Amino acid sequence: MHVTYTFYYNYQIMAKSKLIEKIGYAMGDAAAGGITWKIMSIAFPLFFTNVFGLSFADAAILMLVARMFDVVTDPIMGALADRTQSRWGTYRPWIIFGAIPLGTVFAFLLYTPDFGPTGKRIYAYTLYILMMAVYTMVNVPYGSLLGVMTDDDNEKNQFSSYRMVGAYAMGFITLLSFPYLQKFVGGTDAHQYAVLGAFFGILAACMTLGCGLLTRERLKPVRAEKFSMHQFVDLVKNVPWLYMTGIAICTNFFNGFRYAVAGYMFSYCMGGDITISGLIINYTVFMAFGEVTCMIFGGLSPKVTRWIGSKRRTFMASAVFCIVTSVLFFFIPMKPSSIWMMIVVSILTSAGIGIYSPLMWSMYADVADYATQKNGTSSTGLIFSSGTMSQKFGTAISGSLIAMFLGLAGARMIPDQFGNSVIDPASITDSVLNMVWSLFSLFPAFIALIMLFFAYKYPIKK
């Protein structure tokens, strides 16, 4: 399947993308996926309960409410981006002018104000929802940009691969450096998170701006003449999109469980940070091993796909691999001496993630091409917005479920000497420990099984 120029016209049809443009595109997800989203996924559950002072229930509701807000804002942003016309193009202006708000709001979100419990709830809810809105404003157009930079399928795979390498390389740097930067900053945990929030916020803003300035839009979509709800009706009738949405939600459920529970796994199952020959292995460093693996295999993904023969079959093979390694992790002994075994199995799981991650966004581009061919007008932004929405929805629900499951297993919050909510050490029973271990292994394995089913049913065979 290939979209003809009846629906797209190309004002630089023969121009090939340069390496600098691919690096620029990678910077976009290095900022969004490797910095802001990575910290929000892995550090926020622990930050909000153990540092900021929210209860498990407050933290769960916070992440759930914010993502329900995204169910509305993401499609609206997609439809709005599709209709943007400016000297910078259709999608790039949102990236360029959204860079500074993205970094600024992220920095304030990691700041702990000297408020009472009610004031903290209001602050956390307001900033978190605002962060989701700004993230949507930048990342929906960023994802949609892939559909207008090239119509060559191999180049789409290359751009997707660069994107994932950028995200995972920056994620590796972020997670590996986080505990050392905390130690360097010093002071209270709240002070450390506030300083690092400002540092990473500035870095994310600069990289996002670089992405907007270094990339180019070579294809111009045929726009619908006016906004119409019929576009949303067409979307839900798009069978490849329905399966792709299921795949995207599952991939982010899979990652969401693992990243959100890693902090609790080290705090309770491992008894805190582990130091081996001067190397501090905490939950961020542990997940950093996976990030560098994803970076390597994300770069190999196009070659693996060509070897296997199709994106769909490659995705399915990766899902099966992730199921096996996730189940295997459950049987690793729950003790610090097993840390290297845990790292090895986590690296194997990350190899599967690294292969399928670039494919997901390239498959979304195929779905957008299919929709254009079928309906006669472009809905690239709307379709890619569903990918971003699925990303946030999957991460939020998994984060909320983790808080809920830990509460059901017996973990409870008590007030400390300052009136902040902290976890009662006496409530950390074997039931809670087993729940944490399962949330990192068996729960993701079950989600990957569902993901495999959706990939099997996905009808585009490219």
Side-chain angles (χ1 to χ4, degrees), residues 274-290:
I274 300 171
T275 303
I276 301 176
S277 301
L279 174 65
I280 302 173
I281 303 179
N282 71 347
Y283 68 101
T284 63
V285 175
F286 175 74
M287 298 304 289
F289 285 102

Side-chain angles (χ1 to χ4, degrees), residues 24-25 27-29 31-32 77 81 84 86 88-103 134-146 148-149 204-217:
Y25 188 66
M27 288 171 63
D29 214 17
M77 184 65 236
T84 300
S86 75
W88 297 280
T90 300
Y91 304 112
R92 288 175 60 241
W94 294 98
I95 301 171
I96 293 170
F97 295 103
I100 293 177
L102 178 73
V134 176
Y135 188 91
T136 295
M137 182 180 73
V138 172
N139 216 45
V140 168
Y142 170 74
S144 306
L145 187 61
L146 178 62
V148 295
M149 288 192 295
C206 292
M207 297 182 82
T208 302
L209 182 61
C211 171
L213 296 176
L214 291 174
T215 51
R216 303 176 69 179
E217 298 186 19

Side-chain angles (χ1 to χ4, degrees), residues 391-423:
Q391 178 187 38
K392 291 185 283 188
F393 181 79
T395 305
I397 298 298
S398 57
S400 299
L401 287 175
I402 283 171
M404 182 186 74
F405 282 133
L406 291 180
L408 291 175
R412 61 179 180 270
M413 307 295 290
I414 58 173
D416 65 8
Q417 57 180 327
F418 304 106
N420 296 320
S421 296
V422 295
I423 299 174

Side-chain angles (χ1 to χ4, degrees), residues 37 75 83 93 110 161 170 179 216 250 272 289 291 312 321 332-334 336 357 443 449:
W37 197 258
R83 286 161 181 76
L110 281 170
S161 181
M170 195 63 222
R216 303 176 69 179
C250 287
F289 285 102
E291 292 296 302
R312 174 176 164 272
F321 191 73
I332 297 175
M334 194 188 303
S357 292
F443 279 70
L449 183 63

Side-chain angles (χ1 to χ4, degrees), residues 15 26 55-56 91 96 117 141 145 195 201 212 253 314 376 440:
S55 67
F56 275 123
Y91 304 112
I96 293 170
L145 187 61
V195 173
F253 262 125
T314 305
F440 192 86

Side-chain angles (χ1 to χ4, degrees), residues 427-442:
S427 70
I428 307 301
T429 61
D430 287 344
S431 175
V432 173
L433 296 178
N434 288 327
M435 177 61 73
V436 170
W437 208 251
S438 298
L439 285 167
F440 192 86
S441 55
L442 296 184

